[in-house]
Short mmCIF file of all heavy atoms in Angstrom, two decimals:
data_model
loop_
_atom_site.label_atom_id
_atom_site.label_comp_id
_atom_site.label_asym_id
_atom_site.label_seq_id
_atom_site.Cartn_x
_atom_site.Cartn_y
_atom_site.Cartn_z
N TYR Z 361 0.15 -13.65 17.90
CA TYR Z 361 0.04 -12.26 18.52
C TYR Z 361 -0.58 -11.32 17.58
O TYR Z 361 -0.74 -11.68 16.33
CB TYR Z 361 1.34 -11.81 19.06
CG TYR Z 361 2.31 -11.25 17.93
CD1 TYR Z 361 2.57 -10.01 17.76
CD2 TYR Z 361 2.91 -12.23 17.03
CE1 TYR Z 361 3.41 -9.53 16.73
CE2 TYR Z 361 3.68 -11.80 16.06
CZ TYR Z 361 3.96 -10.40 15.90
OH TYR Z 361 4.83 -9.98 14.92
N LYS Z 362 -0.82 -10.09 17.98
CA LYS Z 362 -1.33 -9.06 17.08
C LYS Z 362 -0.19 -7.96 16.92
O LYS Z 362 0.13 -7.30 17.96
CB LYS Z 362 -2.57 -8.41 17.55
CG LYS Z 362 -3.83 -9.17 17.34
CD LYS Z 362 -5.03 -8.39 17.76
CE LYS Z 362 -6.31 -9.11 17.41
NZ LYS Z 362 -7.50 -8.26 17.80
N ALA Z 363 0.31 -7.89 15.71
CA ALA Z 363 1.37 -6.82 15.48
C ALA Z 363 0.76 -5.45 15.68
O ALA Z 363 -0.40 -5.13 15.09
CB ALA Z 363 1.92 -6.95 14.06
N ASN Z 364 1.39 -4.59 16.49
CA ASN Z 364 0.89 -3.28 16.86
C ASN Z 364 -0.53 -3.40 17.53
O ASN Z 364 -1.36 -2.51 17.37
CB ASN Z 364 0.84 -2.32 15.63
CG ASN Z 364 2.23 -1.93 15.17
OD1 ASN Z 364 3.24 -2.24 15.85
ND2 ASN Z 364 2.33 -1.27 14.05
N MET Z 365 -0.76 -4.54 18.05
CA MET Z 365 -2.05 -4.84 18.68
C MET Z 365 -3.20 -4.85 17.75
O MET Z 365 -4.38 -4.72 18.12
CB MET Z 365 -2.32 -3.83 19.85
CG MET Z 365 -1.21 -3.82 20.91
SD MET Z 365 -1.41 -2.62 22.18
CE MET Z 365 -2.71 -3.50 23.18
N ILE Z 366 -2.89 -5.00 16.41
CA ILE Z 366 -4.01 -4.88 15.41
C ILE Z 366 -4.02 -6.15 14.48
O ILE Z 366 -5.05 -6.78 14.31
CB ILE Z 366 -3.81 -3.64 14.56
CG1 ILE Z 366 -3.84 -2.30 15.38
CG2 ILE Z 366 -4.81 -3.62 13.44
CD1 ILE Z 366 -5.26 -1.98 15.89
N ILE Z 367 -2.88 -6.48 13.93
CA ILE Z 367 -2.82 -7.43 12.80
C ILE Z 367 -2.35 -8.82 13.37
O ILE Z 367 -1.20 -8.90 13.81
CB ILE Z 367 -1.88 -6.98 11.65
CG1 ILE Z 367 -2.34 -5.60 11.18
CG2 ILE Z 367 -1.91 -7.95 10.52
CD1 ILE Z 367 -1.39 -4.86 10.34
N PRO Z 368 -3.16 -9.88 13.22
CA PRO Z 368 -2.70 -11.23 13.70
C PRO Z 368 -1.45 -11.73 12.90
O PRO Z 368 -1.45 -11.61 11.72
CB PRO Z 368 -3.93 -12.08 13.38
CG PRO Z 368 -5.09 -11.13 13.30
CD PRO Z 368 -4.55 -9.91 12.74
N GLN Z 369 -0.52 -12.21 13.69
CA GLN Z 369 0.70 -12.76 13.08
C GLN Z 369 1.12 -14.03 13.86
O GLN Z 369 0.72 -14.16 15.06
CB GLN Z 369 1.79 -11.73 13.21
CG GLN Z 369 1.57 -10.38 12.58
CD GLN Z 369 2.10 -10.39 11.14
OE1 GLN Z 369 3.18 -10.78 10.86
NE2 GLN Z 369 1.23 -9.93 10.23
N ILE Z 370 1.94 -14.88 13.23
CA ILE Z 370 2.53 -15.94 13.92
C ILE Z 370 3.90 -15.54 14.50
O ILE Z 370 4.72 -15.05 13.80
CB ILE Z 370 2.78 -17.19 12.95
CG1 ILE Z 370 1.39 -17.69 12.51
CG2 ILE Z 370 3.46 -18.28 13.73
CD1 ILE Z 370 1.49 -18.79 11.51
N ALA Z 371 4.01 -15.66 15.82
CA ALA Z 371 5.28 -15.22 16.48
C ALA Z 371 6.28 -16.39 16.39
O ALA Z 371 7.52 -16.14 16.09
CB ALA Z 371 4.99 -14.83 17.95
N GLU Z 372 5.91 -17.56 16.68
CA GLU Z 372 6.84 -18.69 16.75
C GLU Z 372 6.16 -19.98 16.50
O GLU Z 372 4.95 -20.13 16.75
CB GLU Z 372 7.54 -18.62 18.09
CG GLU Z 372 8.64 -19.69 18.33
CD GLU Z 372 9.79 -19.61 17.26
OE1 GLU Z 372 9.61 -20.24 16.25
OE2 GLU Z 372 10.72 -18.84 17.54
#
Side-chain angles (χ1 to χ4, degrees):
Y361 73 109
K362 281 188 177 179
N364 291 352
M365 303 177 77
I366 300 289
I367 304 165
Q369 301 269 314
I370 296 176
E372 185 57 270

